[in-house]
Amino acid sequence: PSLLRSKRFWAYCLSSAFVSGAFFSYLGGAPFVGNEVFGLQPKDLGFWFGAPAIGYVLGNFLSGRFSTKIGLDKMIFFGIMIALIGVSTSLGLMTLVGLGNGMSIPNATAAMMSVNPKLAGTAAGLGSAIMIGGGAGLSSIANFILKPGSSEVPLLVLMWLSVFCGLCSVSYVTYRNKKLNAYKVVKS
């Protein structure tokens, strides 16, 4: 219950869920868009489906290398911004979305666990369940909004909105953390 009452925990959970939501939306809608809109053959679509994985691996590498130097909140923010740029360009830059996911998700998970270190395992499990559940919901929405005759635009809008909501979540928690740190300085 203490985790569920924590605004910081929810902000980190939602930032992770929303940024990964763009990827899950892609998984749910890309086969339709690739086949119906762009006329890709299944083998070609399968090849392009690997683009986010390349970015994700690189993002995880950068997270491992720089998170302690830069800080969790900044890494989450930068990762989400990269994902937002990838979706905003509308040029199939899913590698950037994967890169953003790889930078933000591990840091958001670590931040969730740091909210209450005594409940780190619970935070990791609950946060991951929320992320996967949110992703499943967004994947279903992608399938629902794409109809015969649709363009790729509904999928891109869904992905953009998802990442933007992640940006709002991390911006909120960054603000709360600054406020909390200022309060601790004044108190001591």
Side-chain angles (χ1 to χ4, degrees), residues 95-128:
T95 303
L96 291 180
V97 174
L99 174 64
N101 275 271
M103 289 175 64
S104 58
I105 292 171
N107 289 290
T109 302
M112 280 181 242
M113 295 177 357
S114 72
V115 169
N116 187 340
K118 291 179 183 178
L119 298 173
T122 303
L126 182 58
S128 295

PDB file of all heavy atoms in Angstrom, residues 95-128:
ATOM      1  N   THR A  95      14.627   2.663 -34.336  1.00  0.00           N
ATOM      2  CA  THR A  95      15.874   2.433 -33.625  1.00  0.00           C
ATOM      3  C   THR A  95      16.029   3.475 -32.526  1.00  0.00           C
ATOM      4  O   THR A  95      16.485   3.166 -31.430  1.00  0.00           O
ATOM      5  CB  THR A  95      17.071   2.477 -34.595  1.00  0.00           C
ATOM      6  OG1 THR A  95      16.857   1.507 -35.622  1.00  0.00           O
ATOM      7  CG2 THR A  95      18.378   2.182 -33.891  1.00  0.00           C
ATOM      8  N   LEU A  96      15.602   4.716 -32.796  1.00  0.00           N
ATOM      9  CA  LEU A  96      15.663   5.752 -31.764  1.00  0.00           C
ATOM     10  C   LEU A  96      14.672   5.479 -30.640  1.00  0.00           C
ATOM     11  O   LEU A  96      14.955   5.754 -29.484  1.00  0.00           O
ATOM     12  CB  LEU A  96      15.392   7.139 -32.366  1.00  0.00           C
ATOM     13  CG  LEU A  96      16.468   7.686 -33.292  1.00  0.00           C
ATOM     14  CD1 LEU A  96      16.075   9.069 -33.811  1.00  0.00           C
ATOM     15  CD2 LEU A  96      17.811   7.747 -32.590  1.00  0.00           C
ATOM     16  N   VAL A  97      13.516   4.943 -30.980  1.00  0.00           N
ATOM     17  CA  VAL A  97      12.550   4.576 -29.943  1.00  0.00           C
ATOM     18  C   VAL A  97      13.152   3.470 -29.073  1.00  0.00           C
ATOM     19  O   VAL A  97      13.070   3.511 -27.846  1.00  0.00           O
ATOM     20  CB  VAL A  97      11.197   4.150 -30.541  1.00  0.00           C
ATOM     21  CG1 VAL A  97      10.254   3.641 -29.469  1.00  0.00           C
ATOM     22  CG2 VAL A  97      10.556   5.319 -31.289  1.00  0.00           C
ATOM     23  N   GLY A  98      13.799   2.496 -29.704  1.00  0.00           N
ATOM     24  CA  GLY A  98      14.473   1.445 -28.953  1.00  0.00           C
ATOM     25  C   GLY A  98      15.603   1.994 -28.092  1.00  0.00           C
ATOM     26  O   GLY A  98      15.764   1.600 -26.930  1.00  0.00           O
ATOM     27  N   LEU A  99      16.369   2.930 -28.638  1.00  0.00           N
ATOM     28  CA  LEU A  99      17.442   3.578 -27.887  1.00  0.00           C
ATOM     29  C   LEU A  99      16.867   4.287 -26.661  1.00  0.00           C
ATOM     30  O   LEU A  99      17.376   4.154 -25.545  1.00  0.00           O
ATOM     31  CB  LEU A  99      18.192   4.566 -28.780  1.00  0.00           C
ATOM     32  CG  LEU A  99      19.261   5.434 -28.117  1.00  0.00           C
ATOM     33  CD1 LEU A  99      20.397   4.569 -27.587  1.00  0.00           C
ATOM     34  CD2 LEU A  99      19.783   6.462 -29.105  1.00  0.00           C
ATOM     35  N   GLY A 100      15.801   5.035 -26.869  1.00  0.00           N
ATOM     36  CA  GLY A 100      15.156   5.734 -25.751  1.00  0.00           C
ATOM     37  C   GLY A 100      14.629   4.778 -24.707  1.00  0.00           C
ATOM     38  O   GLY A 100      14.748   5.020 -23.503  1.00  0.00           O
ATOM     39  N   ASN A 101      14.050   3.663 -25.150  1.00  0.00           N
ATOM     40  CA  ASN A 101      13.573   2.644 -24.212  1.00  0.00           C
ATOM     41  C   ASN A 101      14.741   2.064 -23.418  1.00  0.00           C
ATOM     42  O   ASN A 101      14.648   1.881 -22.209  1.00  0.00           O
ATOM     43  CB  ASN A 101      12.840   1.523 -24.951  1.00  0.00           C
ATOM     44  CG  ASN A 101      11.396   1.827 -25.205  1.00  0.00           C
ATOM     45  OD1 ASN A 101      10.553   1.525 -24.372  1.00  0.00           O
ATOM     46  ND2 ASN A 101      11.094   2.423 -26.334  1.00  0.00           N
ATOM     47  N   GLY A 102      15.813   1.769 -24.106  1.00  0.00           N
ATOM     48  CA  GLY A 102      16.981   1.188 -23.446  1.00  0.00           C
ATOM     49  C   GLY A 102      17.626   2.121 -22.439  1.00  0.00           C
ATOM     50  O   GLY A 102      18.222   1.674 -21.461  1.00  0.00           O
ATOM     51  N   MET A 103      17.493   3.424 -22.662  1.00  0.00           N
ATOM     52  CA  MET A 103      18.034   4.393 -21.709  1.00  0.00           C
ATOM     53  C   MET A 103      17.070   4.659 -20.566  1.00  0.00           C
ATOM     54  O   MET A 103      17.491   4.850 -19.423  1.00  0.00           O
ATOM     55  CB  MET A 103      18.357   5.704 -22.425  1.00  0.00           C
ATOM     56  CG  MET A 103      19.541   5.625 -23.347  1.00  0.00           C
ATOM     57  SD  MET A 103      19.808   7.144 -24.270  1.00  0.00           S
ATOM     58  CE  MET A 103      20.200   8.302 -22.958  1.00  0.00           C
ATOM     59  N   SER A 104      15.781   4.692 -20.847  1.00  0.00           N
ATOM     60  CA  SER A 104      14.834   5.130 -19.818  1.00  0.00           C
ATOM     61  C   SER A 104      14.284   3.997 -18.959  1.00  0.00           C
ATOM     62  O   SER A 104      14.130   4.159 -17.745  1.00  0.00           O
ATOM     63  CB  SER A 104      13.690   5.920 -20.456  1.00  0.00           C
ATOM     64  OG  SER A 104      13.029   5.146 -21.430  1.00  0.00           O
ATOM     65  N   ILE A 105      13.980   2.844 -19.529  1.00  0.00           N
ATOM     66  CA  ILE A 105      13.332   1.778 -18.757  1.00  0.00           C
ATOM     67  C   ILE A 105      14.218   1.261 -17.610  1.00  0.00           C
ATOM     68  O   ILE A 105      13.741   1.161 -16.483  1.00  0.00           O
ATOM     69  CB  ILE A 105      12.847   0.643 -19.680  1.00  0.00           C
ATOM     70  CG1 ILE A 105      11.702   1.149 -20.552  1.00  0.00           C
ATOM     71  CG2 ILE A 105      12.389  -0.562 -18.872  1.00  0.00           C
ATOM     72  CD1 ILE A 105      11.285   0.194 -21.654  1.00  0.00           C
ATOM     73  N   PRO A 106      15.508   0.938 -17.847  1.00  0.00           N
ATOM     74  CA  PRO A 106      16.317   0.469 -16.718  1.00  0.00           C
ATOM     75  C   PRO A 106      16.445   1.524 -15.607  1.00  0.00           C
ATOM     76  O   PRO A 106      16.438   1.203 -14.430  1.00  0.00           O
ATOM     77  CB  PRO A 106      17.683   0.166 -17.334  1.00  0.00           C
ATOM     78  CG  PRO A 106      17.453   0.054 -18.790  1.00  0.00           C
ATOM     79  CD  PRO A 106      16.259   0.893 -19.106  1.00  0.00           C
ATOM     80  N   ASN A 107      16.556   2.777 -16.012  1.00  0.00           N
ATOM     81  CA  ASN A 107      16.685   3.852 -15.026  1.00  0.00           C
ATOM     82  C   ASN A 107      15.378   4.086 -14.282  1.00  0.00           C
ATOM     83  O   ASN A 107      15.381   4.336 -13.078  1.00  0.00           O
ATOM     84  CB  ASN A 107      17.174   5.129 -15.702  1.00  0.00           C
ATOM     85  CG  ASN A 107      18.620   5.002 -16.108  1.00  0.00           C
ATOM     86  OD1 ASN A 107      19.499   4.982 -15.257  1.00  0.00           O
ATOM     87  ND2 ASN A 107      18.868   4.865 -17.398  1.00  0.00           N
ATOM     88  N   ALA A 108      14.254   3.991 -14.982  1.00  0.00           N
ATOM     89  CA  ALA A 108      12.964   4.139 -14.312  1.00  0.00           C
ATOM     90  C   ALA A 108      12.736   2.989 -13.334  1.00  0.00           C
ATOM     91  O   ALA A 108      12.223   3.194 -12.235  1.00  0.00           O
ATOM     92  CB  ALA A 108      11.837   4.205 -15.338  1.00  0.00           C
ATOM     93  N   THR A 109      13.158   1.789 -13.707  1.00  0.00           N
ATOM     94  CA  THR A 109      13.018   0.639 -12.815  1.00  0.00           C
ATOM     95  C   THR A 109      13.887   0.827 -11.573  1.00  0.00           C
ATOM     96  O   THR A 109      13.437   0.587 -10.442  1.00  0.00           O
ATOM     97  CB  THR A 109      13.377  -0.666 -13.539  1.00  0.00           C
ATOM     98  OG1 THR A 109      12.530  -0.802 -14.692  1.00  0.00           O
ATOM     99  CG2 THR A 109      13.195  -1.875 -12.647  1.00  0.00           C
ATOM    100  N   ALA A 110      15.126   1.268 -11.765  1.00  0.00           N
ATOM    101  CA  ALA A 110      16.004   1.533 -10.618  1.00  0.00           C
ATOM    102  C   ALA A 110      15.419   2.635  -9.736  1.00  0.00           C
ATOM    103  O   ALA A 110      15.460   2.541  -8.503  1.00  0.00           O
ATOM    104  CB  ALA A 110      17.396   1.916 -11.100  1.00  0.00           C
ATOM    105  N   ALA A 111      14.860   3.669 -10.352  1.00  0.00           N
ATOM    106  CA  ALA A 111      14.264   4.762  -9.589  1.00  0.00           C
ATOM    107  C   ALA A 111      13.033   4.283  -8.821  1.00  0.00           C
ATOM    108  O   ALA A 111      12.819   4.675  -7.669  1.00  0.00           O
ATOM    109  CB  ALA A 111      13.905   5.913 -10.521  1.00  0.00           C
ATOM    110  N   MET A 112      12.207   3.425  -9.439  1.00  0.00           N
ATOM    111  CA  MET A 112      11.041   2.862  -8.739  1.00  0.00           C
ATOM    112  C   MET A 112      11.496   2.132  -7.482  1.00  0.00           C
ATOM    113  O   MET A 112      10.879   2.248  -6.422  1.00  0.00           O
ATOM    114  CB  MET A 112      10.329   1.822  -9.622  1.00  0.00           C
ATOM    115  CG  MET A 112       9.433   2.331 -10.669  1.00  0.00           C
ATOM    116  SD  MET A 112       8.720   0.889 -11.511  1.00  0.00           S
ATOM    117  CE  MET A 112       9.329   1.130 -13.152  1.00  0.00           C
ATOM    118  N   MET A 113      12.558   1.368  -7.612  1.00  0.00           N
ATOM    119  CA  MET A 113      13.045   0.568  -6.494  1.00  0.00           C
ATOM    120  C   MET A 113      13.666   1.438  -5.411  1.00  0.00           C
ATOM    121  O   MET A 113      13.695   1.054  -4.249  1.00  0.00           O
ATOM    122  CB  MET A 113      14.046  -0.480  -6.991  1.00  0.00           C
ATOM    123  CG  MET A 113      13.392  -1.495  -7.903  1.00  0.00           C
ATOM    124  SD  MET A 113      14.410  -2.773  -8.668  1.00  0.00           S
ATOM    125  CE  MET A 113      16.046  -2.490  -8.203  1.00  0.00           C
ATOM    126  N   SER A 114      14.133   2.631  -5.770  1.00  0.00           N
ATOM    127  CA  SER A 114      14.764   3.512  -4.789  1.00  0.00           C
ATOM    128  C   SER A 114      13.761   4.334  -3.988  1.00  0.00           C
ATOM    129  O   SER A 114      14.124   4.928  -2.982  1.00  0.00           O
ATOM    130  CB  SER A 114      15.753   4.453  -5.494  1.00  0.00           C
ATOM    131  OG  SER A 114      15.048   5.437  -6.244  1.00  0.00           O
ATOM    132  N   VAL A 115      12.514   4.367  -4.417  1.00  0.00           N
ATOM    133  CA  VAL A 115      11.500   5.142  -3.698  1.00  0.00           C
ATOM    134  C   VAL A 115      11.374   4.644  -2.261  1.00  0.00           C
ATOM    135  O   VAL A 115      11.304   5.422  -1.314  1.00  0.00           O
ATOM    136  CB  VAL A 115      10.138   5.094  -4.435  1.00  0.00           C
ATOM    137  CG1 VAL A 115       9.015   5.652  -3.585  1.00  0.00           C
ATOM    138  CG2 VAL A 115      10.230   5.870  -5.754  1.00  0.00           C
ATOM    139  N   ASN A 116      11.338   3.339  -2.080  1.00  0.00           N
ATOM    140  CA  ASN A 116      11.293   2.724  -0.751  1.00  0.00           C
ATOM    141  C   ASN A 116      12.177   1.479  -0.814  1.00  0.00           C
ATOM    142  O   ASN A 116      11.700   0.405  -1.182  1.00  0.00           O
ATOM    143  CB  ASN A 116       9.855   2.359  -0.367  1.00  0.00           C
ATOM    144  CG  ASN A 116       9.732   1.869   1.051  1.00  0.00           C
ATOM    145  OD1 ASN A 116      10.706   1.439   1.659  1.00  0.00           O
ATOM    146  ND2 ASN A 116       8.521   1.914   1.578  1.00  0.00           N
ATOM    147  N   PRO A 117      13.465   1.630  -0.481  1.00  0.00           N
ATOM    148  CA  PRO A 117      14.403   0.513  -0.631  1.00  0.00           C
ATOM    149  C   PRO A 117      13.983  -0.780   0.073  1.00  0.00           C
ATOM    150  O   PRO A 117      14.344  -1.862  -0.366  1.00  0.00           O
ATOM    151  CB  PRO A 117      15.709   1.065  -0.043  1.00  0.00           C
ATOM    152  CG  PRO A 117      15.597   2.539  -0.208  1.00  0.00           C
ATOM    153  CD  PRO A 117      14.135   2.847  -0.010  1.00  0.00           C
ATOM    154  N   LYS A 118      13.212  -0.678   1.142  1.00  0.00           N
ATOM    155  CA  LYS A 118      12.759  -1.881   1.836  1.00  0.00           C
ATOM    156  C   LYS A 118      11.763  -2.678   0.986  1.00  0.00           C
ATOM    157  O   LYS A 118      11.561  -3.857   1.205  1.00  0.00           O
ATOM    158  CB  LYS A 118      12.103  -1.520   3.167  1.00  0.00           C
ATOM    159  CG  LYS A 118      13.081  -0.987   4.186  1.00  0.00           C
ATOM    160  CD  LYS A 118      12.375  -0.631   5.468  1.00  0.00           C
ATOM    161  CE  LYS A 118      13.368  -0.038   6.452  1.00  0.00           C
ATOM    162  NZ  LYS A 118      12.718   0.374   7.691  1.00  0.00           N
ATOM    163  N   LEU A 119      11.149  -2.014   0.022  1.00  0.00           N
ATOM    164  CA  LEU A 119      10.164  -2.663  -0.852  1.00  0.00           C
ATOM    165  C   LEU A 119      10.660  -2.731  -2.294  1.00  0.00           C
ATOM    166  O   LEU A 119       9.863  -2.719  -3.230  1.00  0.00           O
ATOM    167  CB  LEU A 119       8.831  -1.912  -0.788  1.00  0.00           C
ATOM    168  CG  LEU A 119       8.147  -1.875   0.583  1.00  0.00           C
ATOM    169  CD1 LEU A 119       6.934  -0.963   0.557  1.00  0.00           C
ATOM    170  CD2 LEU A 119       7.755  -3.280   1.012  1.00  0.00           C
ATOM    171  N   ALA A 120      11.977  -2.797  -2.474  1.00  0.00           N
ATOM    172  CA  ALA A 120      12.564  -2.763  -3.820  1.00  0.00           C
ATOM    173  C   ALA A 120      12.054  -3.903  -4.703  1.00  0.00           C
ATOM    174  O   ALA A 120      11.721  -3.689  -5.871  1.00  0.00           O
ATOM    175  CB  ALA A 120      14.083  -2.801  -3.740  1.00  0.00           C
ATOM    176  N   GLY A 121      11.978  -5.097  -4.176  1.00  0.00           N
ATOM    177  CA  GLY A 121      11.495  -6.236  -4.964  1.00  0.00           C
ATOM    178  C   GLY A 121      10.044  -6.067  -5.369  1.00  0.00           C
ATOM    179  O   GLY A 121       9.668  -6.332  -6.513  1.00  0.00           O
ATOM    180  N   THR A 122       9.238  -5.607  -4.437  1.00  0.00           N
ATOM    181  CA  THR A 122       7.823  -5.357  -4.732  1.00  0.00           C
ATOM    182  C   THR A 122       7.694  -4.260  -5.780  1.00  0.00           C
ATOM    183  O   THR A 122       6.893  -4.370  -6.711  1.00  0.00           O
ATOM    184  CB  THR A 122       7.076  -4.957  -3.442  1.00  0.00           C
ATOM    185  OG1 THR A 122       7.238  -5.997  -2.482  1.00  0.00           O
ATOM    186  CG2 THR A 122       5.612  -4.719  -3.704  1.00  0.00           C
ATOM    187  N   ALA A 123       8.494  -3.210  -5.634  1.00  0.00           N
ATOM    188  CA  ALA A 123       8.449  -2.101  -6.591  1.00  0.00           C
ATOM    189  C   ALA A 123       8.832  -2.565  -7.990  1.00  0.00           C
ATOM    190  O   ALA A 123       8.191  -2.196  -8.976  1.00  0.00           O
ATOM    191  CB  ALA A 123       9.376  -0.977  -6.138  1.00  0.00           C
ATOM    192  N   ALA A 124       9.866  -3.388  -8.086  1.00  0.00           N
ATOM    193  CA  ALA A 124      10.302  -3.887  -9.392  1.00  0.00           C
ATOM    194  C   ALA A 124       9.219  -4.753 -10.030  1.00  0.00           C
ATOM    195  O   ALA A 124       8.917  -4.613 -11.218  1.00  0.00           O
ATOM    196  CB  ALA A 124      11.591  -4.673  -9.257  1.00  0.00           C
ATOM    197  N   GLY A 125       8.643  -5.645  -9.247  1.00  0.00           N
ATOM    198  CA  GLY A 125       7.603  -6.531  -9.782  1.00  0.00           C
ATOM    199  C   GLY A 125       6.346  -5.775 -10.174  1.00  0.00           C
ATOM    200  O   GLY A 125       5.812  -5.969 -11.265  1.00  0.00           O
ATOM    201  N   LEU A 126       5.875  -4.906  -9.288  1.00  0.00           N
ATOM    202  CA  LEU A 126       4.662  -4.142  -9.564  1.00  0.00           C
ATOM    203  C   LEU A 126       4.878  -3.186 -10.728  1.00  0.00           C
ATOM    204  O   LEU A 126       4.034  -3.074 -11.624  1.00  0.00           O
ATOM    205  CB  LEU A 126       4.225  -3.383  -8.312  1.00  0.00           C
ATOM    206  CG  LEU A 126       2.948  -2.568  -8.407  1.00  0.00           C
ATOM    207  CD1 LEU A 126       1.756  -3.438  -8.798  1.00  0.00           C
ATOM    208  CD2 LEU A 126       2.681  -1.861  -7.074  1.00  0.00           C
ATOM    209  N   GLY A 127       6.023  -2.506 -10.723  1.00  0.00           N
ATOM    210  CA  GLY A 127       6.322  -1.572 -11.818  1.00  0.00           C
ATOM    211  C   GLY A 127       6.411  -2.269 -13.159  1.00  0.00           C
ATOM    212  O   GLY A 127       5.899  -1.779 -14.174  1.00  0.00           O
ATOM    213  N   SER A 128       7.028  -3.443 -13.184  1.00  0.00           N
ATOM    214  CA  SER A 128       7.129  -4.203 -14.436  1.00  0.00           C
ATOM    215  C   SER A 128       5.767  -4.698 -14.897  1.00  0.00           C
ATOM    216  O   SER A 128       5.463  -4.681 -16.094  1.00  0.00           O
ATOM    217  CB  SER A 128       8.078  -5.386 -14.259  1.00  0.00           C
ATOM    218  OG  SER A 128       9.382  -4.919 -14.008  1.00  0.00           O
TER     219      SER A 128
END
